[in-house]
Amino acid sequence: MDTQQLSGIGMTSQRTRNRLVQRLREAGISNEQVLSVMASTPRHVFIDEALAHRAYEDTALPIGYGQTISQPYTVARMTEELLGNQRRLGRVLEVGTGCGYQSAVLSPLVEQLFSVERIEPLFSRARNRLYDLKYRNVHCSLSDGSWGLPDKGPFDGILVAAAPEQVPYALLEQLVDGGRMVIPLGGEQQKLTLISRDGDEFVTRILEDALFVPFLSGVQR
Ligand code: SAH
């Protein structure tokens, strides 16, 4: 990747990114740490070159295989809710790597990030891209997130970027006591939901309406 691509020109410049951050503030994102990561993460390098000029619009964009990169507002909101009042999390699981943008946003805010994706070409592309960009605490695997990652857990936080009808049981099991999970739930009418673990109890709070791609099972090569 050349420096020009990373530093960005024109529509991908720092100024354009700052405008996005201003919009995120107006939309209610208030965690300064999250806003600062959103300002420094180059979203345009995670999407197809033909769409790069739209990278700092606050919209979801196609990344191939019927999937989308999440809207920046959604990425910021989920990150903010995952952190709660913590400045940094320890071990975090992300389900649905997609193009790796949300992983890049989480990377500086966590010690170790384990990210799983079920579609092989998206997995390998995201893994290579995150490696090239030197996000060395992000560990990608090709796997169906329904099972979590039992040998890497338990996790202080779990972020799910696709919507199941119900929370996969394995994910609840792999959350530490006091841990937080942010997950969209439902079919047509999805709700972004925060689940906090308190011993054997799971406290659920609905955050807002959501529109995510469906959570599917199995691995697709
Ligand atoms: N956070 C991503 C958004 C990706 S869209 C980004 O920033 O680009 C959601 C992703 O979840 C898709 O790539 C989809 O293939 C994946 N997905 C859906 N169900 C899954 C499952 N059971 N396990 C792992 N990944 C899943």
Side-chain angles (χ1 to χ4, degrees):
M1 197 158 305
D2 63 31
T3 29
Q4 194 176 51
Q5 205 181 343
L6 270 179
S7 63
I9 43 163
M11 286 309 285
T12 58
S13 73
Q14 187 61 52
R15 197 146 42 95
T16 317
R17 237 180 272 168
N18 292 346
R19 268 203 297 274
L20 169 67
V21 167
Q22 187 51 39
R23 276 201 300 279
L24 296 176
R25 272 186 207 284
E26 286 159 13
I29 306 299
S30 60
N31 183 316
E32 290 300 328
Q33 249 188 313
V34 173
L35 288 166
S36 138
V37 175
M38 296 298 293
S40 61
T41 308
R43 190 170 185 250
H44 64 281
V45 302
F46 290 88
I47 56 187
D48 198 87
E49 247 175 83
L51 288 171
H53 66 287
R54 298 188 55 197
Y56 300 99
E57 291 175 17
D58 193 15
T59 50
L61 293 167
I63 55 171
Y65 306 91
Q67 307 304 318
T68 52
I69 178 172
S70 305
Q71 186 187 351
Y73 166 77
T74 307
V75 169
R77 181 79 210 270
M78 291 179 91
T79 307
E80 190 171 73
E81 292 295 343
L82 192 73
L83 281 173
N85 54 16
Q86 310 256 86
R87 285 193 62 75
R88 200 176 154 82
L89 296 175
R91 295 168 84 80
V92 170
L93 172 67
E94 176 190 29
V95 178
T97 317
C99 67
Y101 173 67
Q102 170 82 70
S103 325
V105 169
L106 284 171
S107 167
L109 302 168
V110 309
E111 257 150 53
Q112 298 296 330
L113 178 65
F114 299 89
S115 186
V116 301
E117 169 58 53
R118 62 176 290 278
I119 300 179
E120 201 282 333
L122 289 178
F123 150 75
S124 49
R125 233 183 270 168
R127 184 185 52 179
N128 293 340
R129 182 180 288 133
L130 289 161
Y131 187 83
D132 289 346
L133 292 166
K134 304 200 165 50
Y135 289 103
R136 293 292 149 78
N137 64 342
V138 181
H139 314 283
C140 294
S141 9
L142 176 65
S143 165
D144 174 353
S146 316
W147 312 110
L149 280 177
D151 54 332
K152 304 291 183 201
F155 301 101
D156 302 295
I158 299 180
L159 185 151
V160 183
E165 293 279 351
Q166 283 171 2
V167 191
Y169 185 70
L171 298 185
L172 292 172
E173 261 187 343
Q174 290 168 34
L175 200 59
V176 301
D177 191 6
R180 293 157 78 89
M181 179 179 346
V182 184
I183 182 169
L185 291 173
E188 302 263 288
Q189 292 279 319
Q190 300 172 7
K191 301 282 180 198
L192 188 61
T193 307
L194 170 67
I195 299 171
S196 320
R197 181 167 195 168
D198 179 6
D200 286 336
E201 285 195 30
F202 294 91
V203 182
T204 297
R205 185 155 66 88
I206 291 175
L207 302 173
E208 58 188 50
D209 289 344
L211 190 59
F212 283 77
V213 296
F215 188 101
L216 301 173
S217 55
V219 163
Q220 180 184 320
R221 284 175 199 274

